[in-house]
Amino acid sequence: MANESLQIPNFIDGQFVAPVGGKYLDNIEPATGQPYSQVADSDTRDVELAVAAAEKAFVQWSGTSAAERSRILLRMADLIERDLEKLARAESIDTGKPLSLARSLDIPRAASNFRFFATAILHTESEAHVTDGLAFNYTLRQPRGIAGLISPWNLPLYLLSWKIAPAIACGNTAVAKPSELTPMTAYLLGEVCREAGLPNGVLNVVHGTGPNVGAPITAHPRIGTISFTGGTVTGRKVAETCAPMFKKVSLELGGKNPNIIFADADLDAAIAGSVRSSFANQGQVCLCGSRVFVERSAYQDFVERFVEKASQLRLGDPLDEKTDQGAIVSKTQLEKVKFYVDLALKEGGKIALGGSSPKPPNERCQAGYFFPPTVITGLPVSCRVNREEIFGPVVTITPFDKEEEVIGYANDTEYGLASSVWTQNLSRAHRVAEKINVGTVWVNCWLVRDLRVPFGGMKQSGIGREGGDEGLRFFTEPKNVCIAK
Ligand code: NDP
């Protein structure tokens, strides 16, 4: 896959096209720190071309039967599965994530996103309301037009397909922008679209930076729907642009997720689950549990066993089959992680594991962006490290005494995305789940996904929900038709 001469083009109107300005950015492989391809550095002119193509395609696509749209999306899912190995390798090289993770999680889930929404549109219902003896109402749910879809670098194809699939399944057309750091699988998806027979212009992918491509998409007057996943600071800018234009917006933003372990939990399961939720994808999953709270009577035992298990994670070349921990996505992100580890020490924390740059795993990865799983104890709940999103392989572990106390800790952040609770006491699980202010609570598990459930965050973790019916609702406009009797 390494191909320094590859210049990743845009995908507009079914064609791979160079950016109008002819400019490209280096695309760095995080494991080596070296450029391995280039990506289009597009601007407003490319966004305009994509909007024109999407607008033209909408006329026909919005009138295409659900059965036909479904057939094409199912074909896309099949092709993603057929190309699993190629896509997984591309994702691993682009992001630094272990190849085994891309193969088992990212790419299969991208395929299931297409399959899920391809079949969901065959099973929709429409509400009807009878108004006394006066009238009969029914609800039409129509596609809204062009959707602008902006996604981050941590789960590139998985998160982009989570938006593309429901948007186009519902009959919208789309202008998508992947992160400039991880454009490769979005590029390869263009090939999938062509082979699957997706009509030209239904999906357009414009590569480039947030300010040059993301901002013009959110500000474009003919893009009325914006689905954005990324950081809270960027989400705020997107909201500021969209609000006065009355766009329909869904924002999936950052998190600082609590992971609560009660002393009555199955500790083996809680430790295995917590190591995974702390360090999967080098801790770069918005749903990672970065604040671990353990009931005091189990605290010492938990910390020792957690550290022991985390120390067994093999950090290595992402392309090595045995690697559990790959590279951090970029130098900037690596610096951010280091900054927070230094800050933790200043705030009184104690490093129980990791904390400094490891030896490069091999010759090829000498200049790669690696950081080991890092565990910090002894920090106050309200310090910066416990409140701000790090988005790396760093967790804090804090003891607690009472249920109400840990609920307070869990909610003591501006974020509200997800949480895990580990306990054998079912009543407690229900009680705690009800009181934590987050969009998803996992009990005795983590990252179990059912595509039918609502997904999203509270507070500064975002607004709106996607997934299942929520996704179908977001990408359609409900219209009431009232017929007099
Ligand atoms: P960013 O917010 O930096 O970027 C997200 C996307 O927005 C990228 O494609 C970026 O482009 C683009 N962008 C940047 N500036 C603008 C702008 N002014 N207008 C429109 N688009 C813009 O997030 P990261 O890529 O750093 O991703 C990490 C963040 O994403 C974390 O905070 C994480 O929690 C969050 N996230 C949330 C999830 C959720 O479901 N709630 C899931 C996964 C991640 P470019 O990168 O090319 O500059």
Side-chain angles (χ1 to χ4, degrees), residues 35-105:
Y36 83 103
S37 63
Q38 291 196 313
V39 59
D41 184 9
S42 312
D43 59 34
T44 314
R45 293 167 292 176
D46 303 286
V47 173
E48 282 301 340
L49 290 176
V51 169
E55 204 162 45
K56 191 171 68 169
F58 181 72
V59 178
Q60 199 188 337
W61 185 245
S62 58
T64 301
S65 70
E68 175 62 5
R69 281 183 267 131
S70 172
R71 197 187 62 73
I72 295 172
L73 265 72
L74 285 172
R75 179 95 180 105
M76 289 177 74
D78 289 345
L79 293 173
I80 290 170
E81 272 171 358
R82 184 198 67 187
D83 293 347
L84 172 77
E85 206 49 41
K86 175 169 116 178
L87 290 164
R89 203 175 160 77
E91 205 73 296
S92 171
I93 292 171
D94 227 16
T95 60
K97 72 176 66 207
L99 175 58
S100 56
L101 185 70
R103 190 190 281 138
S104 60
L105 185 122

Side-chain angles (χ1 to χ4, degrees), residues 66-67 69-71 73-74 112-125 162 165-166 169-170 451-452 467-473:
R69 281 183 267 131
S70 172
R71 197 187 62 73
L73 265 72
L74 285 172
S112 30
N113 287 339
F114 280 102
R115 193 161 286 130
F116 175 84
F117 286 105
T119 49
I121 54 170
L122 302 178
H123 303 276
T124 54
E125 289 172 354
W162 177 240
C170 290
L451 298 180
R452 294 168 299 180
D469 287 344
E470 302 277 350
L472 297 179
R473 290 213 175 95

Side-chain angles (χ1 to χ4, degrees), residues 374-387:
T374 295
V375 180
I376 300 169
T377 57
L379 281 174
V381 175
S382 57
C383 70
R384 279 185 66 191
V385 170
N386 266 329
R387 301 179 78 99

Side-chain angles (χ1 to χ4, degrees), residues 25 150-155 159 162-163 177-182 207-218 228-235 237-238 241 251-255 284-287 329 333 336 389 391 415 417 455-457 461-462:
L25 300 159
I150 302 175
S151 60
W153 45 259
N154 61 330
L155 303 161
L159 289 178
W162 177 240
K163 300 178 182 307
K177 188 200 106 54
S179 169
E180 88 211 36
L181 299 177
T182 56
H207 297 280
T209 65
N212 289 346
V213 177
I217 289 176
T218 51
F228 172 87
T229 300
T232 296
V233 172
T234 320
K237 286 189 200 156
V238 171
T241 304
L251 300 172
E252 308 279 355
L253 309 177
Q284 303 167 126
V285 179
C286 54
L287 303 163
V329 73
Q333 193 63 21
K336 184 178 174 197
E389 185 182 44
F391 217 54
Y415 295 106
L417 190 58
F455 178 80
S461 290

